[in-house]
Amino acid sequence: MPLMDRLITLTQHVRATQLHHPGASGELSALITQIGVAGKVISAQVNKAGLVKIRGSAGTTNIQGEVQHRLDQFAERTIQDIVGRSGHVCALMSEEEEEIIEVKESDRGGYVIAYDPLDGSSNIDFNVSVGTIFSIFRKVSAGVEVTRRDTLQRGVEQVAAGYIIYGSSTMFVYTVGQGVHGFTLDPTVGEYILSHPDIRLNATCKVLSINTCNGPYWDGWVHDFMGRMLARNDADKRRINDRHIGSLVADFHRNLLMGGIFLYPADSQSPKGKLRLMYEANPLAFVIEQAGGAASDGCQRILEIEPEWAHHRVQLIIGNAAEVELAEECLRAGSVVEA
Ligand code: P6P
């Protein structure tokens, strides 16, 4: 088989998906490719963080009140420079920036991007996998002005979403609504090569991923859910394993490939939940649903939630649909008991 029949690059794959969209201008393909370029630049720095003076705290905090790491700031600048100046976006909504960044009019394109430039960054100094999460919406308002209608859209309106995980290898995982596809970066040639075509969530939920040390803060339903899940393990077999590394992209990616459920419930410390709708829950919800799973805030699909503002926090339950439904059932039962 000729070599080219074996290697499919990210750019080729994205272009092929757009061929199904009559009238596609190619702008979305170009935008996704530019996000990939930003990922290569960030990957190069993440993979040598221990060697250059780029690790550690930058001594500043972001809108979330989280300590910013030098790599957080590097990743933010990289995305602003490469994606912000691509000519394909009109606004950028970042975990690291309090305000939505409007691209100067001469450089504006037809899309809005929401992103977490380096999720899990508190783990960087310990060599734990981290990642960039992105969500893309089409600009919907007429004219060049960027309006709230363009930026605060529900997750169902996403035209593309995915993440880049900087781990034992760097992978680009994305969906445009035609399945989920994973590409592994070959650093020797600087290309993302299709390595995980049409990813489907393993039908069996093998992993339970939650920060159990938040247990004292949980509502009763979470304890009920945990009990129901752990009851699956008996003398015959351990059917469910606890895997939680505290880096959302790493926990999500492992569960996507193995089959599992991740929860970050609202609790007495984070009454609205900790994770953010626009650039964490929404993009991963798009991916998981495209892979055959589900994502909920316990009461409704993540993708149906009406955003209140750029840094809207939500309770996140994401993974195998049966287990997401079980969590919703426990929450409903718990609310009846508490009522
Ligand atoms: P906790 C990382 O800061 C992050 O945003 C996610 O990547 C991760 O899942 C979560 O926070 C961990 O939060 O409260 O368990 O340390």
Side-chain angles (χ1 to χ4, degrees):
M1 175 189 291
L3 178 61
M4 283 311 291
D5 289 355
R6 289 204 298 271
L7 295 183
I8 297 176
T9 66
L10 172 64
T11 302
Q12 290 167 340
H13 193 274
V14 179
R15 182 179 163 279
T17 62
Q18 295 307 293
L19 294 179
H20 299 293
H21 290 271
S25 64
E27 187 173 26
L28 181 60
S29 306
L31 171 54
I32 293 171
T33 299
Q34 288 305 304
I35 294 169
V37 172
K40 293 179 197 175
V41 174
I42 295 167
S43 173
Q45 288 301 327
V46 167
N47 290 336
K48 59 186 178 187
L51 302 174
V52 296
K53 290 265 177 277
I54 201 161
R55 291 192 333 166
S57 166
T60 54
T61 56
N62 62 16
I63 165 69
Q64 327 287 342
E66 295 166 344
V67 172
Q68 285 182 308
H69 287 72
R70 289 192 183 91
L71 269 175
D72 272 327
Q73 294 179 330
F74 175 82
E76 177 58 35
R77 281 197 314 275
T78 300
I79 294 174
Q80 287 190 26
D81 289 350
I82 295 176
V83 179
R85 294 180 190 161
S86 67
H88 303 311
V89 296
C90 61
L92 299 92
M93 194 185 315
S94 170
E95 186 209 31
E96 297 298 327
E97 298 290 342
E98 181 166 1
E99 302 300 329
I100 294 171
I101 300 167
E102 291 192 13
V103 174
K104 70 178 180 177
E105 281 194 25
S106 58
D107 280 350
R108 281 182 190 170
Y111 294 94
V112 173
I113 184 170
Y115 59 96
D116 184 346
L118 207 61
D119 177 77
S121 55
S122 55
N123 297 293
I124 287 170
D125 292 347
F126 316 115
N127 222 7
V128 167
S129 299
V130 293
T132 299
I133 311 173
F134 62 90
S135 168
I136 300 174
F137 296 93
R138 190 170 283 109
K139 184 180 188 310
V140 290
S141 66
V144 292
E145 285 307 305
V146 178
T147 70
R148 182 186 171 88
R149 275 187 61 219
D150 298 318
T151 52
L152 296 183
Q153 300 184 52
R154 291 181 310 149
V156 285
E157 302 300 336
Q158 293 173 98
V159 291
Y163 57 88
I164 306 161
I165 181 168
Y166 312 106
S168 47
S169 65
T170 291
M171 275 193 72
F172 188 105
V173 179
Y174 88 109
T175 184
V176 290
Q178 296 169 40
V180 177
H181 309 282
F183 298 76
T184 300
L185 179 64
D186 179 342
T188 60
V189 296
E191 269 297 352
Y192 293 101
I193 307 298
L194 182 63
S195 53
H196 297 68
D198 200 17
I199 298 173
R200 300 296 295 169
L201 183 63
N202 186 319
T204 306
C205 180
K206 296 181 177 177
V207 172
L208 173 56
S209 191
I210 186 171
N211 183 345
T212 52
C213 289
N214 286 336
Y217 316 127
W218 291 338
D219 292 338
W221 75 265
V222 185
H223 294 285
D224 178 22
F225 173 76
M226 294 295 285
R228 305 266 296 266
M229 292 296 290
L230 296 181
R232 297 182 179 185
N233 291 348
D234 55 28
D236 295 338
K237 190 175 181 184
R238 189 175 71 173
R239 296 176 179 81
I240 195 91
N241 278 309
D242 179 342
R243 294 287 184 273
H244 180 267
I245 200 165
S247 179
L248 175 60
V249 174
D251 284 319
F252 178 86
H253 184 68
R254 177 204 54 243
N255 292 357
L256 176 67
L257 298 183
M258 280 185 76
I261 184 164
F262 171 95
L263 301 91
Y264 204 113
D267 59 33
S268 56
Q269 305 296 302
S270 309
K272 293 180 182 286
K274 173 176 183 180
L275 301 177
R276 279 59 51 123
L277 175 64
M278 296 307 291
Y279 40 78
E280 289 171 328
N282 265 341
L284 298 184
F286 190 8
V287 170
I288 204 74
E289 288 198 2
Q290 282 290 309
S296 163
D297 69 350
C299 301
Q300 62 181 311
R301 270 175 87 198
I302 289 292
L303 297 182
E304 297 285 355
I305 297 174
E306 199 67 51
E308 292 167 5
W309 69 305
H311 304 290
H312 181 155
R313 292 180 189 265
V314 291
Q315 170 163 261
L316 180 61
I317 305 159
I318 189 167
N320 291 87
E323 282 69 25
V324 170
E325 285 157 21
L326 175 61
E328 291 175 328
E329 183 190 313
C330 292
L331 189 151
R332 281 193 299 272
S335 55
V336 168
V337 167
E338 283 167 13

